Amino acid sequence: MEEMFHKKAEAVRRLVEAAEEAHLKHEFDADLQYEYFNAVLINERDKDGNFLELGKEFILAPNDHFNNLPVNISLSDVQVPTNMYNKDPAIVNGVYWSESLNKVFVDNFDRDPSLIWQYFGSAKGFFRQYPGIKWEPDENGVIAFDCRNRKWYIQAATSPKDVVILVDVSGSMKGLRLTIAKQTVSSILDTLGDDDFFNIIAYNKELHYVEPCLNGTLVQADRTNKEHFRQHLDKLFAKGIGMLDVALNEAFNILSDFNHTGQGSICSQAIMLVTDGAVDTYDTIFAKYNWPERKVRIFTYLIGREAAFADNLKWMACANKGFFTQISTLADVQENVMEYLHVLSRPKVIDQEHDVVWTEAYIDSTLPQAQKLADDQGRVLMTTVAMPVFSKQNETQRSKGILLGVVGTDVPVKELLKTIPKYKLGIHGYAFAITNNGYILTHPELRPLYEEGKKRRKPNYSSVDLSEVEWEDRDDVLRNAMVNRKTGKFSMEVKKTVDKGKRVLVMTNDYYYTDIKGTPFSLGVALSRGHGKYFFRGNVTIEEGLHDLEHPDVSLADEWSYCNTDLHPEHRHLSQLEAIKLYLKGKEPLLQCDKELIQEVLFDAVVSAPIEAYWTSLALNKSENSDKGVEVAILGTRTGLSRTSLFVGAEQLTNQDFLRAGDKENIFNADHFPLWYRRAAEQLPGSFVYSIPFSTGTANKSNVVTASTSIQLLDERKSPVVAAVGIQMKLEFFQRKFWTASRQCAALDGKCSISCDDETVNCYLIDNNGFILVSEDYTQTGDFFGEVEGAVMHKLLTMGSFKRITLYDYQAMCRANKESSDSAHGLLDPYNAFLAAAKWIMTELVLFLVEFNLCSWWHSDMTAKAQKLKQTLEPCDTEYPAFVSERTIKETSGNIACEDCSKSFVIQQIPSSNLFMVVVDSSCLCESVAPITMAPIEIRYNESLKCERLKAQKIRRRPESCHGFHPEENARECGGAPSLQAKMVLILFPLLLLLFLR
């Protein structure tokens, strides 16, 4: 595994060396004319059929290694953000010298064909990506992607930081200025990552913590906390006078006190000041807290067009190793906020430390067309390995610390799982990994998506803590040991949910963990006791095994790694079964395969082959299955081998999805064994487990029944489960068999004293989790028994026949009512604002708008808002019950005292199964006893508890490197006010380009 991570990092290192060498040889030419492949314009023609400028012919072909997207694996191309000029001299020069990366991109891909996207994100804003691909604008005709705002860029370019953001809410900030200030603060939050800490203080004549609960401290800049603060930003309003001196004193004290606690980044510290002016330079405050070391950098953002106070704000930034910038419009915000990152990167550049960084797991959404494809095929979790690129030109200017950009490559998290042999982990075993912050990199219980019409990303999917899925570890013993990169073992009883969270398996897990060298990650493996400790080994000849693998009904787990089909391009189209056959026949000597696993696959193929003949005889014996009630027979083994036999035509299957690639629950995959296999393994040997599969719909109705049983080797030693076999049948067929059996009695005359046909009783067949398989009311099929017969279920719980198990879901999504507005507030996005007004601007008052501002049209103070409640799904925590039968109770009966009657019942276990027959007196309704529901209940936290949760700082491990300061750093380049002419160019060029493209 460490070798895999090392190979990815080496590929990035080669890109760094090539980029720095190419830049060293390049001399900047302000008049350079260079036609490059613009990712948006390639293959685009004008009305005369000629290629657009920067839009030359660029050959693209679908490639299965890149999700079948059309790419060019010989060349990279360049994306430039919509709000930047394609032919800006700085961009053209950067694109020119970075062209030399093409050779390294291709060479890296040849060395390691498992690589996917490689790229260079320039500090100037352009993004060079390999393989080359066409970028499609979104529905608004915009590509808002800016590589400098991505976590991999920021993490590689800067060191961890503690930040206090001061935002002026005095009366002079009313109107548009406050809107711009809020957007500026929001953009600053976008640049903070999981290794950073922050707080926001609004000030006028008093201090107002945006989150009052966090008075005097800092909080980790994870996604949840940042969104929490964004919601509070909307509540800010301007009034009174601004007491900046009080705010500065508070900010310095917070940073000092927080640093002394040993929490936070213990690296860079900064104060971000967002204001429309400062009447003083406050040098006495800086002399008291920050000079001469100047350990806290001051970044000042002057809001508005007036420059009266620019000198004071610039002096404050320059005197404290920071940066000053003026933000006049919403369109200025992002570009100006990004400036501070270049300042923070200086010490790292001067140190020439090419730190390798790895990001948390995320779902790539860079390309709109890739997003759509991912929605159809299932989105892939990634991590990115990245390194900074430094300028080595003119060593006398080294003190400026010029960052050229960041190079990186994406690594699918599933690549990590391929290095861990699933067959050695046992039926319930799994591997997982976490980051230095305790967040999940990969875990079978991580659910990054939710469905509402279509699959969507959960807002906080990338910051799910290990303690939220392994929640039984209340003291965080396992989590903290892994965060601290220890190697060891830990055991605990766990409650693992299966079948869409409706059922629970209670077992004891043994966890083994260690760190992954060269990364901030730690790896864990969970083995369930009773599984994974012993492994049966068999031996057959290759000829025997190959013969039985050739059967058309044999398949293997394609997500398991029997052979590495990623090493050579000619192998990528092979399934694992095809690869094994070629490997065994000696036709592909370059294939690298797991010899031990393949030997066991061959053994399983041979010993399981006779079942095919048995299934064939059943299919031919029409009397055994005359009404075709049994539709599918399945067998799975510990090596991921499956055999399937259809007793009806494929088009006649009741459940068309069963065992298909999209039916992740019921096939072998990288995370787990099939559901029917796992549940059978927890039953007593020789007994069958029956269940009705739950659908994804709210009704949870199904018209099939699955039955399966495990196969163990019957010897005196501890015997592993080596296989499971099962069938899927029509629900109607199964119910008919039950009703026929229920009418057969042991009396001499064959007559029953009481029967399910009697109107005085209700008969049910339920499983060990309390779900109804058979009821006289067909609509109750699949329902939880407690919802139908609440009084009886209450009694069964009291008697101990069933037990309730409380479960928690810390990744739930709950419906919430939020205020929405019909005003044009959404147009505050600078790109959308430009597009909505583009044609008007170009034909009417361009110069006026440059002086005035587009956004004054829809400023919130001047726009009537129609408030209404809108239901949205929000992340939440829930608690819900699951139920399990007590195995030792075979039969019991009881009476329930109701208000005006007594309700009797009897429950009896069906031998060799997980089923129970329940007969209930129907004459007594017992309506006073409430039904028992399995519906999850949202855990609502009161304000005090919410505050405690916000303040809670779980153990985390800081990144090993820190480059906060350097004595040679040149702090004289500390910003200035852009000219009006520059603003004109910034505004007009994108607009002209957009209109031309339309």
Side-chain angles (χ1 to χ4, degrees), residues 98-147:
S98 66
E99 193 82 20
S100 62
L101 292 179
N102 275 325
K103 183 177 181 299
V104 187
F105 285 142
V106 174
D107 180 55
N108 279 343
F109 193 41
D110 288 340
R111 291 176 184 233
D112 181 5
S114 68
L115 282 173
I116 49 173
W117 306 107
Q118 303 175 66
Y119 38 81
F120 167 62
S122 167
K124 301 300 182 185
F126 72 84
F127 180 67
R128 181 178 288 281
Q129 183 179 28
Y130 173 88
I133 187 170
K134 184 169 178 59
W135 284 53
E136 304 288 351
D138 63 19
E139 63 272 14
N140 297 313
V142 170
I143 295 176
F145 175 84
D146 188 326
C147 62

Side-chain angles (χ1 to χ4, degrees), residues 622-744:
K622 295 185 183 294
S623 62
E624 288 289 329
N625 194 25
S626 57
D627 53 3
K628 297 182 179 179
V630 177
E631 298 184 333
V632 187
I634 44 178
L635 176 138
T637 75
R638 77 275 163 72
T639 60
L641 180 142
S642 298
R643 289 183 180 272
T644 307
S645 182
L646 299 182
F647 295 142
V648 297
E651 71 284 352
Q652 295 177 293
L653 286 172
T654 304
N655 182 2
Q656 289 287 327
D657 297 329
F658 188 53
L659 303 180
R660 299 283 177 88
D663 185 18
K664 294 292 187 182
E665 280 280 297
N666 287 303
I667 61 174
F668 289 95
N669 60 46
D671 286 332
H672 53 65
F673 278 52
L675 176 62
W676 50 269
Y677 195 126
R678 284 179 285 159
R679 293 197 64 210
E682 292 308 302
Q683 286 293 115
L684 296 173
S687 65
F688 276 80
V689 56
Y690 296 82
S691 64
I692 295 180
F694 291 103
S695 66
T696 54
T698 55
N700 287 323
K701 300 299 181 184
S702 180
N703 47 10
V704 294
V705 174
T706 303
S708 58
T709 187
S710 62
I711 300 172
Q712 285 184 272
L713 302 177
L714 300 178
D715 55 22
E716 295 180 358
R717 297 168 298 168
K718 294 228 174 188
S719 173
V721 173
V722 294
V725 64
I727 58 172
Q728 189 164 96
M729 66 193 100
K730 294 178 181 177
L731 175 60
E732 177 270 333
F733 167 80
F734 176 77
Q735 292 180 335
R736 192 169 67 249
K737 291 286 186 182
F738 169 77
W739 291 125
T740 300
S742 70
R743 296 185 180 98
Q744 297 174 358

Side-chain angles (χ1 to χ4, degrees), residues 64 163 168 189 197 226 331 421 437 492 509 557 587 609 666 927 967:
D64 56 358
V163 176
D168 185 353
L189 293 180
F197 289 77
K226 289 191 292 185
N437 287 298
M492 67 177 174
N509 276 359
K587 293 184 178 180
N666 287 303
E927 294 177 332

Side-chain angles (χ1 to χ4, degrees), residues 30 172 176 223 251 484 488 515 615 630 670 709 861 935:
S172 61
L176 178 61
R223 173 67 183 261
N484 288 322
D515 65 312
W615 284 341
V630 177
T709 187
D861 284 354

Side-chain angles (χ1 to χ4, degrees), residues 559-619:
E559 291 187 15
W560 289 22
S561 190
Y562 302 87
C563 295
N564 191 339
T565 56
D566 290 327
L567 288 179
H568 301 283
E570 62 270 24
H571 297 150
R572 289 187 186 134
H573 68 283
L574 296 173
S575 70
Q576 287 294 320
L577 184 55
E578 291 168 338
I580 287 177
K581 291 176 182 178
L582 291 173
Y583 171 74
L584 293 174
K585 293 174 182 177
K587 293 184 178 180
E588 290 290 343
L590 295 178
L591 268 174
Q592 295 183 15
C593 300
D594 186 329
K595 294 180 180 179
E596 180 183 344
L597 175 55
I598 289 178
Q599 181 59 46
E600 298 308 318
V601 167
L602 295 178
F603 178 81
D604 287 0
V606 171
V607 298
S608 64
I611 201 169
E612 293 285 356
Y614 173 68
W615 284 341
T616 301
S617 68
L618 285 181

Side-chain angles (χ1 to χ4, degrees), residues 168 203 244 273 275-282 302 308-313 316:
D168 185 353
Y203 71 91
L244 179 54
L273 175 57
T275 179
D276 65 347
V279 297
D280 191 6
T281 57
Y282 303 100
L302 176 60
F309 299 105
D311 289 343
N312 285 346
L313 289 173
M316 292 164 64

Side-chain angles (χ1 to χ4, degrees), residues 146-161 187-194 196 226 337-338 340-341 344-345 348 357 359 386 388 403 406:
D146 188 326
C147 62
R148 297 167 299 175
N149 212 22
R150 304 291 279 189
K151 280 192 175 182
W152 53 265
Y153 184 99
I154 296 168
Q155 201 171 326
T158 65
S159 293
K161 49 199 169 290
S187 293
I188 293 172
L189 293 180
D190 285 336
T191 66
L192 303 181
D194 295 336
D196 303 323
K226 289 191 292 185
V337 165
M338 300 301 295
Y340 94 88
L341 295 174
L344 290 185
S345 70
K348 182 179 284 193
V357 300
T359 68
L403 175 76
V406 173

